[in-house]
Amino acid sequence: MAQIIIDKQNGELAFRLEELNDLSQFDHLQRRNYYSIVLLCGISYELSVDFQSFELQGNQMICLAPYQPFMIRSEEKCQGYLLNFHPDFFCTYRHQNEIETEGFLFNNFHGLPYFTVNEQSLFLNLIDQISKEMDKDSIAQHEVLVAFLKVFLIEAVRQKKQFDQQLTPRSSDSKTEILQNLVDAIESNYCKLHSPQEYADELCVSPKTLAGIVKKYLNQTTSSLISNRIIIEAKRELYLTSKPVKQIAAFLGYDDEFYFSRFFKKKVGVSPDIYRKTVGFAKLESN
């Protein structure tokens, strides 16, 4: 059974906690206009995120940003929890200096959208406290839930860092070095360089070599890696600022606002204007 808090100003979901006994609600592709954290316990399942597929088992936490397309399937019985929160309820960008969730747990353009949970009891204890608080109708409930959520996210960041360290190759070779150089180059140049050829030229390798390395280590294409980083910045601008879409497009290196809007909608599933109205600044500004 789900425990839900609805935003009284607009009637939309603000915060949600649900205990899971199966994955039926995730068996089709979906995009939600709020953050989703799925904690799954001790089963094997297939995760699809951004049209990439992952075979997972054991205790896993899946972290999904607003409108990020995902689907989870399993032939086994599942136990776990689903935690949803809207950016109006907790703005991850505004707390980025305290909790480095953006670009790490959520909207990580080159990392994995999940991690293996080592100390599950810590999360289960927090979930229990969140559940008890949601059953109350007490003063400052929002502040208490935000405090619990912050601790939850901090612990998630800590455990994901441990998980990522285990995945990092211990010995560096030329291919992993090229990959790291590519990630760094995208981070520095995504506003002006948009094609795999441009990054291949920047790194003095062939586009084919670059594509093979990205596919091997990240299971992505070079184009998707570049476009994902651009979309992350576009979301941030739409989320936090009142800049016109035309100005955001120009900042990201697109002279044609309409081309940029089509590109954004193809990647995110909604137009920049709809994204802003349902997730970003337009709501935040009125609070």
Side-chain angles (χ1 to χ4, degrees):
M1 183 176 178
Q3 296 170 277
I4 301 174
I5 295 176
I6 300 297
D7 189 322
K8 294 179 180 179
Q9 292 184 345
N10 54 35
E12 295 183 1
L13 182 143
F15 192 73
R16 170 188 174 118
L17 175 64
E18 180 180 357
E19 185 172 2
L20 301 172
N21 294 309
D22 62 64
L23 297 176
S24 57
Q25 65 175 292
F26 307 122
D27 66 1
H28 59 284
L29 194 66
Q30 50 201 280
R31 300 174 187 260
R32 301 178 173 185
N33 68 330
Y34 41 76
Y35 289 91
S36 297
I37 298 175
V38 188
L39 177 62
L40 294 177
C41 315
I43 62 168
S44 299
Y45 40 90
E46 180 182 349
L47 168 67
S48 175
V49 179
D50 291 324
F51 309 105
Q52 299 180 65
S53 294
F54 307 94
E55 297 289 338
L56 305 178
Q57 61 182 0
N59 299 334
Q60 301 284 341
M61 183 174 290
I62 303 162
C63 302
L64 302 152
Y67 287 113
Q68 189 168 16
F70 75 97
M71 179 169 58
I72 313 171
R73 290 177 174 173
S74 176
E75 296 180 357
E76 302 179 35
K77 188 175 180 181
C78 153
Q79 287 185 324
Y81 293 90
L82 170 65
L83 187 65
N84 300 125
F85 62 94
H86 193 278
D88 285 355
F89 183 85
F90 182 82
C91 178
T92 56
Y93 288 102
R94 290 184 174 181
H95 293 275
Q96 186 67 5
N97 290 335
E98 309 162 57
I99 319 168
E100 49 185 315
T101 54
E102 288 300 327
F104 187 68
L105 284 184
F106 308 109
N107 291 315
N108 187 332
F109 80 99
H110 61 85
L112 296 171
Y114 67 88
F115 64 93
T116 300
V117 175
N118 293 322
E119 299 182 59
Q120 193 179 67
S121 61
L122 295 172
F123 293 116
L124 296 180
N125 288 337
L126 285 166
I127 286 171
D128 183 58
Q129 293 180 73
I130 289 170
S131 178
K132 290 176 179 176
E133 182 63 29
M134 291 182 76
D135 279 338
K136 302 176 184 177
D137 187 16
S138 302
I139 187 171
Q141 184 188 58
H142 176 270
E143 287 72 17
V144 173
L145 289 174
V146 165
F148 283 141
L149 180 58
K150 286 175 72 173
V151 175
F152 190 100
L153 293 172
I154 288 169
E155 183 58 33
V157 169
R158 289 174 176 174
Q159 292 203 30
K160 190 173 193 300
K161 284 189 174 183
Q162 293 176 357
F163 174 76
D164 288 354
Q165 287 173 358
Q166 294 171 1
L167 294 181
T168 303
R170 298 196 177 192
S171 58
S172 178
D173 57 28
S174 59
K175 290 183 178 179
T176 57
E177 185 177 346
I178 289 172
L179 181 64
Q180 186 57 57
N181 289 341
L182 173 61
V183 170
D184 292 342
I186 292 173
E187 190 62 39
S188 300
N189 299 289
Y190 63 85
C191 288
K192 56 184 179 181
L193 303 182
H194 295 169
S195 74
Q197 181 67 60
E198 290 173 307
Y199 285 98
D201 292 343
E202 187 83 4
L203 300 178
C204 299
V205 298
S206 71
K208 184 177 180 180
T209 297
L210 203 56
I213 293 171
V214 173
K215 180 65 176 177
K216 177 181 178 180
Y217 288 98
L218 300 180
N219 194 31
Q220 295 189 51
T221 65
T222 312
S223 293
S224 67
L225 200 63
I226 299 164
S227 60
N228 286 346
R229 183 61 187 92
I230 295 168
I231 289 297
I232 286 169
E233 191 63 22
K235 286 179 177 179
R236 193 191 73 81
E237 291 289 313
L238 291 165
Y239 191 114
L240 288 178
T241 78
S242 59
K243 295 176 185 176
V245 173
K246 183 176 182 180
Q247 185 178 346
I248 295 173
F251 168 71
L252 293 171
Y254 294 89
D255 295 330
D256 187 337
E257 172 191 353
F258 300 104
Y259 177 86
F260 168 75
S261 293
R262 291 193 298 271
F263 164 71
F264 185 93
K265 185 174 182 178
K266 182 178 179 181
K267 293 291 294 183
V268 180
V270 295
S271 69
D273 286 333
I274 294 298
Y275 184 87
R276 170 170 276 161
K277 288 176 182 177
T278 57
V279 175
F281 179 85
K283 284 178 173 282
L284 294 172
E285 188 178 37
S286 64
N287 289 343

